[in-house]
Amino acid sequence: MDDLKHPSGNVTSYNIPDIIPILPIVDTNLFPKMVLPLVLIQKEAVELIDEAMSGNRMLGLLLSKRSDINSRHTAKDLHRIGTVAIILKMSKMEDDKAQLLIQGLNRFKVIKFLQDKKYMQAKIDIMESKNADRSKENRALMVNIVEQYEKIVALSPGLPSEMGHMIKSLQEPNILADMVASTINAPVLEKQKVIELLDVNKRLKKVTRLVNDQLEILEMGSKIQSQVKEDMDKQQREYYLRQQLKAIKEELGETGNESVEIKEYRTKIEEKGLLEEAQKEAERELQRLSKMHPSSSEYVVASTYLDWLTSLPWNESSKDKLDIKEARRILNNDHYGLEKPKKRILEYLAVRKLKNDSKGPILCFAGPPGTGKTSLGRSIARALGRQFVRIALGGVRDEAEIRGHRRTYVGALPGRIIQHLRKAGTNNPVFMLDEIDKVDSSYHGDPSSALLEALDPEQNFSFSDHYLNVPFDLSDVIFLTTANVLHTVPAPLRDRMEVLELSGYTEEEKLKIATRYLIPRQREANGLKSTHIKITPGSVKKIISGYTKEAGLRNLERHIGSVCRGVASKIAEEKARKFVVGQKDLHEYLGPAPNMPDMALRIEKPGVVVGLAWTPYGGEILFIEAVAMKGGKGLALTGQLGDVMKESASTALSFIRANAKKLKVDESFFSSHDLHIHVPEGSIPKDGPSAGVAMLTCLVSLMTGRRVKKRLAMTGEITLRGEVLPVGGIKEKVIAAHRAGIKTIILPLWNQKDMEDVPDNIKNSIDFHFADKMKTVLELALD
């Protein structure tokens, strides 16, 4: 924005030229000495301003006889007398508009219009005011105008009170007349007549008439407003009297007609068939509501409560289909593999078919992300023909999220269980509580404790929500839960659930799932048909082994989606009609595969062992490295290890020192060397006892100089006596080892029973050894 001010600060010191550009204005006036903001939208007007800014910044304003702001104005449309103005500020806006702040300098009269340029110009003559002296008549007119103007300011909220004080300070009659005419709410044509009056005496008389007219209008409006207010006060008083009369009649037993809203609530309560306790509470609340004023806050609270009571599915339930063959078909169509969970689900449904009032257990699907836990719940609902409801419990820390807030709180609502039951519309949906292991507690209460009543078949027939404050029967609801880990679930809550483990998928299972489900789903999601794209089995295998490292399927589906989007982009550009995506093409869509050094190269020296670990996201292989340095009996452990893992390392070292001769370790080694055990990927926390066997083997390999056999992995807990104890997560660990190319695995003897869960194709491709003593482990592992 350009700030344009005359150095002297006095508008009369400008030299006004004989020829100036003419700017037509509509619905406004500019008086000398007054300031006016304008917004110009016409192209010719903006060009006029640009040229004026490059020159003396002056232009002439003439009122148009036409009111259309967008039309082109000609000389015939304009008045001949107007005001010369100077541009004080100018800024360009969006869409080639211009915003101006201009100040009037003097009156002028058009002698002749000129059309030399795109915009209008005129030859002008400056007009000076006459009879501008302070004669008695002029002073009398000025006093009258000031008095009337002060009254106008008092009645007009848009005029600041300071305007009255400023008008009082003006001593020049012509300036007073112009300023008052400029600020009052008078018609534009009347103001134009004031501009055209050069005789100041006549101008003052004209302004006096305008001021009197404006004052009469304002006084009349004020009178009308007072009358309306009195009428409203009277109506309000009559309303309150009627309400009091109504209350008196009710006390006397002369109850009048109920309102429409009260009748609707009464009808809903009768038709809903509420339980006895809920019926009493609804009628009591309705009685309170009928005595309240509709505008009171208590009325809103009571009506909201009745809305919840009358909209819950107290008796509405869906009829179960319970066709076991159809349920088996749905489960097999929706999920590949997962034989144990599907078998248990079918048993669960079969018992419900044979015994309708069966209070079955709460099933908890536990396993890594992306293994199909939530979708199993959807399949159960589809097989039963019931509504499916899901609540995400991750991060829930307030008990009121489950049980609701009491009605004494502002904005209180029922808990999530009641809210989702109303959304489902039936009292027997399949209700999935997702990520129950991530529920947390705080000073607001423990949400897991609130879930105990809902998940207990012996108690949930009278589940009490704090907001409703009446029991609701949840016994017909089928509750399912999901969790990644179980050790974070409180023991009382875990005791109410039957856990079904969902392990990770093998490469063959992932290939079949991708072919049957993931590729068609992503193809449809990205607008492709089967004729547009074909992803070869080899490329799917490469995505599984080279681009994803997970137990579930989410990353695999994301990468397949990336390939489909790349093909869709090419088809949209009409580069081809069909694409076959092979292994060599994956680099184009997914970039380079994250390469890891070959496992054989990583364990070619003594002191390096491959362990097996379990995580909430599936099994993982774990490299354990050890080095010896000259020093004195120090043991350093790095790699962000937990306390249990550090204790395993200390146990392993103590066993070696106690059995040095049997293990053929030089006893002087311990007094002259420091040991450092490191588990790579130090940014990832690691803990648990199952790395004990690997740590002991790693230290013996380092101290004896014997290398661990290639492509061999192990897991197990150790004791100070050298016994190998069983560990968990065997199936997940074996699948991870198979994914990493391991050919030999050493497991605790007590875990031999867990091998029945391992797929047959993995059993046939890996050589398994079982040991109960570390002596056996070392004989199998070391060259």
Side-chain angles (χ1 to χ4, degrees), residues 96-107:
D96 296 328
K97 295 179 182 178
Q99 190 172 14
L100 303 179
L101 185 65
I102 60 176
Q103 183 174 12
L105 299 180
N106 214 330
R107 288 172 169 80

Side-chain angles (χ1 to χ4, degrees), residues 320-327 345-358 384 386:
D320 291 343
K321 291 189 288 190
L322 288 175
D323 186 338
I324 304 302
K325 290 183 179 179
E326 177 67 10
I345 289 169
L346 290 172
E347 292 171 355
Y348 177 84
L349 298 178
V351 171
R352 291 191 72 91
K353 182 176 182 179
L354 297 176
K355 186 174 174 56
N356 292 331
D357 58 348
S358 170
L384 286 170
R386 294 193 181 193

Side-chain angles (χ1 to χ4, degrees), residues 675-740:
L675 294 173
H676 184 169
I677 298 177
H678 177 65
V679 183
E681 296 187 67
S683 63
I684 302 173
K686 312 168 189 72
D687 201 8
S690 61
V693 169
M695 284 187 169
L696 197 152
T697 305
C698 177
L699 290 173
V700 172
S701 169
L702 174 70
M703 295 174 187
T704 60
R706 298 166 65 189
R707 290 185 299 178
V708 177
K709 294 178 181 178
K710 294 181 179 181
R711 303 194 181 279
L712 178 144
M714 60 188 70
T715 186
E717 184 179 357
I718 58 168
T719 69
L720 286 172
R721 298 188 305 275
E723 295 179 354
V724 179
L725 300 181
V727 291
I730 294 298
K731 180 181 177 182
E732 290 84 355
K733 292 175 180 179
V734 170
I735 290 173
H738 179 261
R739 188 166 61 235

Side-chain angles (χ1 to χ4, degrees), residues 100-147:
L100 303 179
L101 185 65
I102 60 176
Q103 183 174 12
L105 299 180
N106 214 330
R107 288 172 169 80
F108 75 91
K109 182 176 182 180
V110 176
I111 300 174
K112 182 181 179 182
F113 283 103
L114 306 174
Q115 288 289 349
D116 297 341
K117 300 185 178 181
K118 291 182 180 179
Y119 53 84
M120 200 179 304
Q121 287 187 303
K123 186 176 181 181
I124 65 168
D125 186 16
I126 299 300
M127 305 174 69
E128 299 295 339
S129 298
K130 302 174 184 178
N131 297 328
D133 57 341
R134 288 176 55 81
S135 63
K136 286 184 179 181
E137 186 178 5
N138 284 353
R139 289 203 307 272
L141 288 168
M142 289 173 67
V143 170
N144 181 62
I145 289 173
V146 169
E147 288 178 356

Side-chain angles (χ1 to χ4, degrees), residues 253-543:
E254 300 174 3
T255 307
N257 294 328
E258 292 183 336
S259 68
V260 176
E261 190 173 12
I262 299 297
K263 288 181 178 179
E264 288 179 356
Y265 280 129
R266 193 176 299 281
T267 304
K268 286 180 181 179
I269 292 170
E270 292 172 356
E271 293 176 351
K272 202 68 178 177
L274 306 179
L275 300 177
E276 182 180 355
E277 193 170 341
Q279 181 83 17
K280 289 180 180 178
E281 184 67 19
E283 290 176 354
R284 187 180 69 84
E285 201 66 22
L286 185 63
Q287 188 69 17
R288 287 181 62 241
L289 186 71
S290 63
K291 298 177 182 179
M292 294 179 192
H293 187 270
S295 63
S296 69
S297 58
E298 282 295 318
Y299 188 93
V300 177
V301 173
S303 61
T304 304
Y305 177 75
L306 287 172
D307 284 336
W308 276 101
L309 271 185
T310 56
S311 62
L312 287 174
W314 296 92
N315 297 301
E316 294 86 352
S317 58
S318 57
K319 189 175 181 181
D320 291 343
K321 291 189 288 190
L322 288 175
D323 186 338
I324 304 302
K325 290 183 179 179
E326 177 67 10
R328 188 190 305 275
R329 185 190 67 79
I330 290 173
L331 288 171
N332 289 332
N333 284 348
D334 291 351
H335 301 86
Y336 180 83
L338 305 178
E339 298 304 329
K340 276 193 173 182
K342 288 194 289 189
K343 177 174 176 290
R344 180 64 186 89
I345 289 169
L346 290 172
E347 292 171 355
Y348 177 84
L349 298 178
V351 171
R352 291 191 72 91
K353 182 176 182 179
L354 297 176
K355 186 174 174 56
N356 292 331
D357 58 348
S358 170
K359 306 293 183 184
I362 310 298
L363 299 181
C364 174
F365 302 124
T371 50
K373 299 185 293 297
T374 305
S375 60
L376 270 175
R378 295 184 189 277
S379 297
I380 293 173
R382 196 154 68 88
L384 286 170
R386 294 193 181 193
Q387 293 290 326
F388 178 76
V389 177
R390 172 184 169 272
I391 295 180
L393 296 177
V396 173
R397 305 181 66 183
D398 190 351
E399 182 188 358
E401 291 277 343
I402 307 299
R403 277 192 181 275
H405 297 84
R406 300 193 184 278
R407 276 181 285 160
T408 53
Y409 292 98
V410 176
L413 283 174
R416 292 194 185 186
I417 292 177
I418 295 297
Q419 288 184 34
H420 283 74
L421 280 173
R422 184 173 81 162
K423 190 181 294 184
T426 62
N427 62 5
N428 63 340
V430 175
F431 211 119
M432 174 155 281
L433 303 172
D434 222 354
E435 298 179 338
I436 199 170
D437 56 322
K438 296 176 179 61
V439 173
D440 201 0
S441 60
S442 69
Y443 64 91
H444 292 295
D446 186 1
S448 60
S449 300
L451 289 170
L452 292 176
E453 182 184 356
L455 296 182
D456 192 340
E458 302 301 325
Q459 300 179 35
N460 62 9
F461 64 88
S462 60
F463 175 74
S464 179
D465 184 274
H466 287 157
Y467 180 83
L468 296 180
N469 203 28
V470 293
F472 191 92
D473 188 0
L474 298 179
S475 58
D476 289 333
V477 177
I478 295 180
F479 282 103
L480 306 173
T481 65
T482 70
N484 295 133
V485 294
L486 293 173
H487 65 268
T488 59
V489 181
L493 190 58
R494 192 166 63 243
D495 181 60
R496 283 164 168 77
M497 302 184 296
E498 179 182 339
V499 178
L500 299 181
E501 297 280 354
L502 275 72
S503 305
Y505 295 100
T506 64
E507 185 175 315
E508 288 74 15
E509 288 174 333
K510 287 184 179 181
L511 176 61
K512 291 180 180 179
I513 293 170
T515 305
R516 290 188 188 180
Y517 305 102
L518 305 186
I519 293 176
R521 187 159 65 201
Q522 285 301 316
R523 197 169 55 208
E524 182 181 354
N526 291 283
L528 297 173
K529 297 179 180 178
S530 57
T531 56
H532 289 152
I533 181 174
K534 180 183 179 182
I535 303 177
T536 64
S539 58
V540 176
K541 283 185 177 180
K542 187 172 180 181
I543 294 175

Side-chain angles (χ1 to χ4, degrees), residues 596-615:
M596 288 293 291
D598 186 70
M599 184 171 297
L601 299 177
R602 296 189 67 177
I603 58 174
E604 62 182 1
K605 294 182 179 180
V608 183
V609 175
V610 179
L612 297 175
W614 179 91
T615 72

